[in-house]
Amino acid sequence: HLPVAVDATCSGLQILAGLAKDASTARMVNVIGSEKPQDAYATIASRSMEAIPDRLKPYWDRKVTKRCVMTIPYNAKPFSNRSYIRDAFKDKGVDVDREELTSCVSAVREAMEQVVPGAMRVMKWIETEIARAIRAGADEIRWTTPSGFNVKQRLMKTKSTVIQTQLMGRCEVHVAGAETGVDLKHHKNATAPNLIHSLDASLLHMAVMNFNAPIALIHDSVLCRATDMDKLSTLVRKTYMTLFAEHEPLTDFALAIGAEEQPPIIGDLQPEAVIDSQYFFC
């Protein structure tokens, strides 16, 4: 009766692969089946190797790139990329300077443009269109997920007051309810992660509606009894196929926000391929 778990292979990139119908990204994150599990982190580490400083090449591997690659689909910016790579090198006992970090971050992001092109284009498109919508007067962003959940993203700037206390020193206090306008930067940074999370929530929501056994879920991981895992794994793959073969989430999102440009759908992925992918969740 103890649960066992399976996790998605970099769920952010799996969702972005479906949104862009991008076979290259899908192959890297096991949406498309293969004899052995694919490793996007190792592939990007290998692809970026030539562009990093020679001194660091002996230490450059998937462990150094993993956290950076994992968070870029959730709109992590170069500043946080730098800290993740610095910490990974620090764990190896290697200190890196500012210029070396800049080279490493650029190398990883350029490699991702080559290895997972659809994912990177979708994120850039979302940021551009959200900025246009906010500048055109929208004060919130709304969309509906394939599972029927209505999302309302309202991110406002708030008035803040700086006070000096005897115990804590300088503190910045945000005054509740004192809105001063739409927070454009926050919307640009938050929309891609929120869209991805709303879709991986839909994936699991729709899958478990047809699963009548003990289950636990968190984000991109499902837990059930070992004797039930075959059924649950099949349901998850079938639901991903349904999500992106019978729905067009990115086109629907574009209509919901009034996008000016068509979404960057590559179109060479057949979502039905996930049915034969042994390592989609593993």
Side-chain angles (χ1 to χ4, degrees):
H1 296 287
L2 293 176
V4 296
V6 291
D7 298 340
T9 306
C10 198
S11 65
L13 287 175
Q14 287 181 336
I15 295 296
L16 287 166
L19 287 172
K21 298 288 197 300
D22 175 21
S24 174
T25 301
R27 191 171 290 106
M28 281 294 98
V29 290
N30 299 306
V31 172
I32 296 175
S34 58
E35 292 184 2
K36 296 180 180 180
Q38 299 299 303
D39 188 341
Y41 309 123
T43 299
I44 291 169
S46 176
R47 188 69 64 89
S48 57
M49 177 72 78
E50 290 186 5
I52 68 166
D54 290 339
R55 181 180 76 87
L56 300 176
K57 288 182 179 179
Y59 310 99
W60 190 253
D61 57 21
R62 75 184 299 277
K63 290 183 179 179
V64 178
T65 62
K66 181 176 180 180
R67 195 174 180 192
C68 184
V69 174
M70 185 186 299
T71 55
I72 284 175
Y74 298 101
N75 222 13
K77 298 301 184 184
F79 179 80
S80 59
N81 298 161
R82 292 166 64 91
S83 66
Y84 297 151
I85 291 175
R86 181 192 297 113
D87 291 345
F89 274 124
K90 188 175 182 180
D91 289 342
K92 294 174 178 284
V94 178
D95 291 325
V96 291
D97 60 33
R98 181 177 298 180
E99 291 184 2
E100 289 173 328
L101 276 176
T102 298
S103 296
C104 290
V105 170
S106 296
V108 170
R109 297 184 78 95
E110 178 58 33
M112 289 188 70
E113 293 282 359
Q114 299 171 18
V115 176
V116 290
M120 301 298 282
R121 292 174 196 173
V122 167
M123 288 187 293
K124 289 178 182 177
W125 174 84
I126 290 173
E127 193 167 310
T128 298
E129 291 299 335
I130 288 300
R132 285 173 175 165
I134 297 298
R135 291 187 178 116
D139 60 1
E140 61 188 28
I141 302 298
R142 293 174 177 260
W143 68 92
T144 302
T145 70
S147 64
F149 183 76
N150 295 314
V151 181
K152 183 176 82 169
Q153 180 178 280
R154 180 178 173 85
L155 301 169
M156 308 296 287
K157 296 178 181 177
T158 57
K159 182 180 179 181
S160 61
T161 301
V162 177
I163 61 174
Q164 193 78 23
T165 66
Q166 290 184 339
L167 294 178
M168 297 178 64
R170 184 180 183 277
C171 297
E172 185 172 329
V173 178
H174 292 270
V175 181
E179 296 179 348
T180 60
V182 181
D183 193 334
L184 173 60
K185 182 178 179 181
H186 198 174
H187 271 289
K188 288 172 64 178
N189 291 337
T191 305
N194 286 344
L195 177 62
I196 291 169
H197 282 309
S198 75
L199 291 171
D200 64 38
S202 288
L203 171 63
L204 296 184
H205 177 195
M206 294 164 67
V208 302
M209 292 296 287
N210 296 308
F211 186 74
N212 187 23
I215 188 169
L217 313 169
I218 178 168
H219 177 42
D220 62 347
S221 179
V222 294
L223 299 88
C224 69
R225 296 176 302 199
T227 49
D228 298 322
M229 183 55 76
D230 186 58
K231 179 181 179 181
L232 180 58
S233 178
T234 298
L235 277 171
V236 169
R237 295 196 303 272
K238 285 183 176 179
T239 305
Y240 183 94
M241 178 189 71
T242 299
L243 204 63
F244 295 108
E246 298 181 10
H247 299 268
E248 292 289 346
L250 194 58
T251 300
D252 293 342
F253 179 77
L255 291 172
I257 66 172
E260 293 183 15
E261 295 182 10
Q262 292 295 314
I265 297 174
I266 294 176
D268 60 356
L269 170 66
Q270 297 297 322
E272 295 83 355
V274 75
I275 298 299
D276 297 321
S277 176
Q278 183 178 355
Y279 303 108
F280 179 58
F281 271 57
C282 62

